[in-house]
Amino acid sequence: MSLDMLTIPAECVAQSRISELDYNNIEFGKIFSDHMLVADYKDGAWQTPQIMPYGNMSLSPATSALHYGQSIFEGMKAYKSTDGAILLYRPLDNLKRLNISAERMCMPALPEDIFMQGLEQLLKLDAAWVPPTAGCALYIRPFMFATDDFIGVRPSSTYRFIIFSCPVGAYYGQPLKVAIEPHYMRSAEGGAGFAKAAGNYGAALLPARKMQEKGYHQLIWTDARDHKYIEESGTMNLMFVIDGKLITPPVSTTILKGITRDSVLQLARDLGYTVEERKVAVDEIVEAHKAGKLQEAFGTGTAATIAQIAVIHHNGADMELPAIEGREISNKVATELDKIKTGEAPDTHNWVYRINL
């Protein structure tokens, strides 16, 4: 399907809700922009997308996504540049990952023209919703779900793809206390852990809540077989600095291939740091902490960007990490990454997609 951007029909809101937004007090995921992009898949093809006011949808109680979990999503951010343009960070990588998730969940691939041209037109229409405030962004949520009104375990023959957005501040407002999960698992080899499938997150809610009731913000997932190796934490990839080296578990069928993860590793290499992508044993982290060599621990993700970890709980004891302000690698990389995303530093890796208004 080939689209001219101007052929995407748009129904605009009669009255914008932007007056509800306080740029200096933005809660994550609470206020949504005026419009959304919607495209339906039926008869073996994607139909012409349209832009409409953000609002509720009418669904059959038999909608197959509600029963059998064919639902995937992405997360990305847009920033306002100093000259007023909108800057998207690595959107084509989000599309690539969306289609990897779609393949794993037996869903149709989304064409690039629907994604990119629809996204550009949507953001031009809702440009006022991109916060000019430092540390804030417009969070963008593309997602796809099955829409057959049919009760039976089989891939749906119809789907809906939507993009909506919401202005956001920081996902985590403070350094994190996390706990290593010794019992529950997030994903096993050969499963769907590498996909951004809705069910991956639903299954994580109970063990996460159990840890939160004990005073921790999130948990650290370990491998499904032996719980010996570290994998992810909540919605983030994990990284550690041990004796001056930046170390992170390798992506696999159980670990999401994070776009922020990839960016952080590349920037660390650019800055001259040693980077190791390898298995990270729980025992290695414990021993490094005992030896005073565990210098930094942090999560990476679109929502959090870089979330510093202050405490790691394991086997009944808390391991306190060095002060955030003294952390060299994560702080340098975070600063450089923010400058690239907002157009304040050269984009040598061609990560930024510019939308001129």
Side-chain angles (χ1 to χ4, degrees):
M1 181 178 185
S2 179
L3 287 177
D4 183 299
M5 189 183 303
L6 297 177
T7 66
I8 301 177
E11 177 190 349
C12 298
V13 295
Q15 180 69 42
S16 175
R17 291 176 287 100
I18 200 164
S19 60
E20 301 173 14
L21 179 62
D22 176 2
Y23 287 112
N24 297 309
N25 185 27
I26 302 176
E27 288 190 77
F28 201 102
K30 291 289 185 69
I31 297 179
F32 303 101
S33 308
D34 287 326
H35 300 93
M36 61 185 184
L37 176 83
V38 179
D40 287 316
Y41 180 90
K42 63 180 181 178
D43 301 325
W46 285 100
Q47 308 301 300
T48 300
Q50 56 184 320
I51 291 173
M52 61 182 65
Y54 175 89
N56 295 338
M57 296 178 293
S58 176
L59 295 174
S60 163
T63 299
S64 54
L66 303 177
H67 300 270
Y68 308 116
Q70 273 190 293
S71 179
I72 59 175
F73 69 95
E74 275 296 320
M76 43 198 301
K77 284 180 177 177
Y79 302 84
K80 188 71 67 70
S81 70
T82 54
D83 62 358
I86 295 174
L87 305 179
L88 279 171
Y89 188 71
R90 301 183 67 170
L92 287 173
D93 290 306
N94 286 102
L95 173 61
K96 180 180 179 181
R97 192 170 63 183
L98 180 81
N99 283 334
I100 289 171
S101 298
E103 180 181 19
R104 179 62 182 86
M105 300 305 291
C106 208
M107 303 168 79
L110 185 78
E112 181 178 323
D113 51 7
I114 291 180
F115 186 82
M116 291 303 299
Q117 293 182 20
L119 183 59
E120 183 162 344
Q121 187 169 334
L122 180 66
L123 290 178
K124 283 183 175 180
L125 194 58
D126 281 343
W129 288 85
V130 183
T133 314
C136 298
L138 186 71
Y139 184 84
I140 301 163
R141 171 52 59 88
F143 71 108
M144 187 197 306
F145 63 98
T147 55
D148 277 5
D149 52 350
F150 174 79
I151 298 298
V153 183
R154 61 157 173 75
S156 180
S157 59
T158 62
Y159 297 87
R160 175 162 288 186
F161 172 73
I162 296 177
I163 302 177
F164 67 88
S165 64
C166 56
V168 297
Y171 191 73
Y172 293 114
Q174 59 184 313
L176 303 180
K177 295 175 64 178
V178 299
I180 295 174
E181 174 55 53
H183 172 68
Y184 291 99
M185 68 175 188
R186 176 184 174 274
S187 180
E189 289 289 345
F194 66 93
K196 283 189 75 70
N200 289 344
Y201 298 82
L205 296 177
L206 176 63
R209 187 174 69 179
K210 288 178 178 287
M211 289 299 182
Q212 289 159 3
E213 289 171 348
K214 296 178 181 179
Y216 300 94
H217 298 100
Q218 261 300 346
L219 49 77
I220 290 179
W221 295 107
T222 51
D223 68 285
R225 188 178 69 177
D226 300 314
H227 296 288
K228 289 183 178 180
Y229 295 98
I230 285 173
E231 296 205 330
E232 293 186 16
S233 178
T235 59
M236 306 179 295
N237 294 111
L238 279 171
M239 299 193 182
F240 305 91
V241 177
I242 299 176
D243 204 16
K245 297 178 181 178
L246 181 61
I247 302 169
T248 190
V251 293
S252 65
T253 58
T254 66
I255 296 178
L256 186 73
K257 188 176 182 180
I259 295 167
T260 304
R261 172 192 182 276
D262 180 74
S263 302
V264 167
L265 297 181
Q266 183 60 60
L267 289 177
R269 293 185 179 103
D270 292 349
L271 292 168
Y273 295 109
T274 299
V275 174
E276 296 181 0
E277 295 181 70
R278 60 169 176 80
K279 284 190 172 184
V280 181
V282 173
D283 287 348
E284 178 183 4
I285 297 302
V286 173
E287 292 304 316
H289 181 263
K290 287 180 180 178
K293 295 182 178 182
L294 181 59
Q295 298 159 314
E296 305 180 32
F298 57 96
T300 66
T302 297
T305 307
I306 289 181
Q308 297 284 3
I309 294 173
V311 173
I312 300 174
H313 179 85
H314 173 62
N315 199 23
D318 284 347
M319 296 181 286
E320 295 189 5
L321 276 67
I324 309 301
E325 57 270 19
R327 300 183 183 186
E328 179 182 341
I329 297 178
S330 55
N331 286 334
K332 279 188 177 181
V333 170
T335 299
E336 185 67 17
L337 187 54
D338 283 343
K339 288 181 178 179
I340 293 171
K341 288 180 175 181
T342 55
E344 299 174 46
D347 177 25
T348 58
H349 297 288
N350 296 315
W351 286 336
V352 175
Y353 182 88
R354 182 183 176 92
I355 299 176
N356 293 313
L357 302 177

